[in-house]
Amino acid sequence: MSATQGQNQGFEKTHLRVPYPVFILFFVSFALYVPTLFYSLTGLDDFIMVYRLQQYNSSWHHLLANFSRGSYGPWVSYYRPFFYDTILVNSHLFGTNLFAFHLINVLCHPLTVVILFHFLKQLNIKALHAFILCLFFAVHPVLVQAVAWLPGRNDTLLTMLLLSYFVFAIKYAQGGRPVDFVASLLFLLLALFTKETALLGPFCLVCLLVLVCDKKPFEQRMLWQYFGWVFCFAVLWAARLMAHKTMYGLTPSQSVKTSIQRIPILWQYIGKILLPFNLSVFPNQQDTANSWGIGSMLLLAVILLESRKKANKLYVLGGLAFFVLFLIPSLAAPQDLISKQVYE
């Protein structure tokens, strides 16, 4: 009997069930952010997206043109065409109506929560536990910027697309249906064209498949996954080169130096997750207190030590890998990309 099966049999002793969990998660996630539907603009990129690009967004032809230019124009290094396609559709259909922009942001959040619920159940986490985790995720204050701030849609879209990618990739690894394989690659491509962080998605999937789903790294379906990832990366690379946007990179020495300087990001963000009392609407490394993060790491260590006999070590390792891998871009991003301050 595997550790996962033994754990799940223990879970079965709990008979409490939540009726209509998907509906509850969607409703709570949406209702919480209803006040943001009436928010105005900030001075951080919102004005550019809604007003300065309005004329550009008036043409459907620019849905494809976004793949051959920077985010705000051909001179800008950010390359996130799918995200700006959603802004174009928003602008084309509703003009400068801020309610419509915020509505799409708010709708993306509950959709992401629902996909997360299915993803956790797919990992053999009991429905009740998955529901509690998703409810925690849905209302966590650290996510406010991603929903309330218009450009924050980029991060919500990225999460929604990557979770969909994980769901279909795991389905393919377990069932072998070609349609699941194709769907997983489609969602991975959309995620890659949404934000560069999606490059870490396949590495996180390997951790899931090997550590949690008991897959062998070199079995046939895994090899097909690797082939699909190379194809998606090649498509992204070719598209960026056509748009004259090279991948960001650092020399090894620069990368090591930059990453060491930004290591506090790791415990700072753990602090914001476990003890969310030191939050900011404009968070950066320099202005974030380290005490909450260090305290949270100690608390987490105590919890893991106390539950070491019951905890599934492979799940713990998989979760830790997820957390660290997706923070790597923040640790190693080029200095001229993020200015002198290090933002979340």
Side-chain angles (χ1 to χ4, degrees):
M1 181 188 301
S2 68
T4 300
Q5 290 172 330
Q7 186 184 50
N8 288 339
Q9 284 187 4
F11 286 165
E12 293 304 323
K13 296 178 182 179
T14 303
H15 299 291
L16 179 64
R17 293 185 177 183
V18 178
Y20 309 108
V22 171
F23 173 80
I24 294 174
L25 288 172
F26 190 96
F27 176 79
V28 170
S29 304
F30 182 86
L32 180 67
Y33 284 97
V34 164
T36 70
L37 295 174
F38 307 97
Y39 280 11
S40 58
L41 295 180
T42 70
L44 298 172
D45 300 339
D46 305 39
F47 181 84
I48 298 175
M49 293 191 319
V50 176
Y51 291 108
R52 190 176 297 177
L53 293 178
Q54 183 184 10
Q55 183 176 358
Y56 174 84
N57 289 337
S58 63
S59 172
W60 289 117
H61 297 292
H62 290 157
L63 285 172
L64 292 178
N66 281 333
F67 288 82
S68 60
R69 68 199 298 268
S71 296
Y72 297 138
W75 62 89
V76 180
S77 58
Y78 283 108
Y79 182 71
R80 297 166 182 180
F82 183 70
F83 164 61
Y84 276 91
D85 273 356
T86 70
I87 298 298
L88 185 149
V89 172
N90 227 143
S91 181
H92 193 91
L93 294 178
F94 304 104
T96 59
N97 187 319
L98 297 182
F99 180 91
F101 276 93
H102 283 297
L103 178 61
I104 300 301
N105 273 37
V106 173
L107 285 174
C108 284
H109 180 57
L111 287 173
T112 301
V113 173
V114 169
I115 297 172
L116 176 62
F117 178 68
H118 288 293
F119 169 65
L120 293 178
K121 289 202 302 178
Q122 192 179 33
L123 298 180
N124 293 322
I125 295 175
K126 191 179 179 184
L128 175 62
H129 295 183
F131 174 82
I132 294 172
L133 289 169
C134 290
L135 196 61
F136 180 80
F137 176 83
V139 303
H140 201 293
V142 81
L143 300 177
V144 170
Q145 289 102 317
V147 185
W149 184 42
L150 291 184
R153 182 189 303 181
N154 203 28
D155 291 320
T156 311
L157 273 177
L158 176 70
T159 307
M160 184 167 57
L161 293 169
L162 278 179
L163 285 174
S164 300
Y165 158 63
F166 293 144
V167 167
F168 282 102
I170 293 173
K171 278 186 178 181
Y172 171 73
Q174 294 174 336
R177 295 199 312 164
V179 64
D180 292 328
F181 177 68
V182 173
S184 71
L185 296 188
L186 174 61
F187 282 113
L188 177 58
L189 271 176
L190 291 176
L192 289 170
F193 284 117
T194 298
K195 193 173 183 179
E196 300 86 346
T197 313
L199 288 166
L200 281 303
F203 299 99
C204 291
L205 180 65
V206 170
C207 295
L208 280 179
L209 292 176
V210 174
L211 294 176
V212 178
C213 300
D214 297 324
K215 297 298 177 182
K216 304 299 181 183
F218 298 105
E219 62 183 69
Q220 184 178 8
R221 291 174 189 169
M222 291 292 289
L223 294 176
W224 275 107
Q225 299 265 23
Y226 304 148
F227 172 79
W229 302 341
V230 171
F231 170 77
C232 290
F233 291 165
V235 171
L236 175 67
W237 187 276
R240 289 187 70 111
L241 290 180
M242 290 178 62
H244 307 292
K245 307 297 173 193
T246 59
M247 290 292 187
Y248 302 118
L250 294 170
T251 64
S253 61
Q254 287 176 316
S255 181
V256 171
K257 181 180 178 180
T258 301
S259 298
I260 292 175
Q261 293 173 343
R262 298 175 185 167
I263 284 178
I265 289 176
L266 294 174
W267 58 72
Q268 285 178 359
Y269 206 69
I270 290 177
K272 294 183 179 184
I273 293 172
L274 296 183
L275 300 172
F277 306 117
N278 186 37
L279 304 182
S280 168
V281 295
F282 199 63
N284 60 73
Q285 179 184 339
Q286 291 84 347
D287 296 336
T288 301
N290 292 309
S291 56
W292 292 105
I294 295 173
S296 295
M297 289 183 68
L298 293 174
L299 176 62
L300 189 60
V302 170
I303 293 173
L304 290 175
L305 286 173
E306 288 295 324
S307 61
R308 62 184 181 276
K309 293 182 179 179
K310 297 180 180 180
N312 187 319
K313 294 180 176 61
L314 294 180
Y315 275 70
V316 173
L317 289 174
L320 180 63
F322 248 64
F323 182 80
V324 174
L325 283 172
F326 278 121
L327 281 182
I328 285 178
S330 296
L331 296 177
Q335 189 67 38
D336 60 350
L337 173 65
I338 58 177
S339 76
K340 294 182 179 180
Q341 293 179 314
V342 181
Y343 303 110
E344 280 183 6

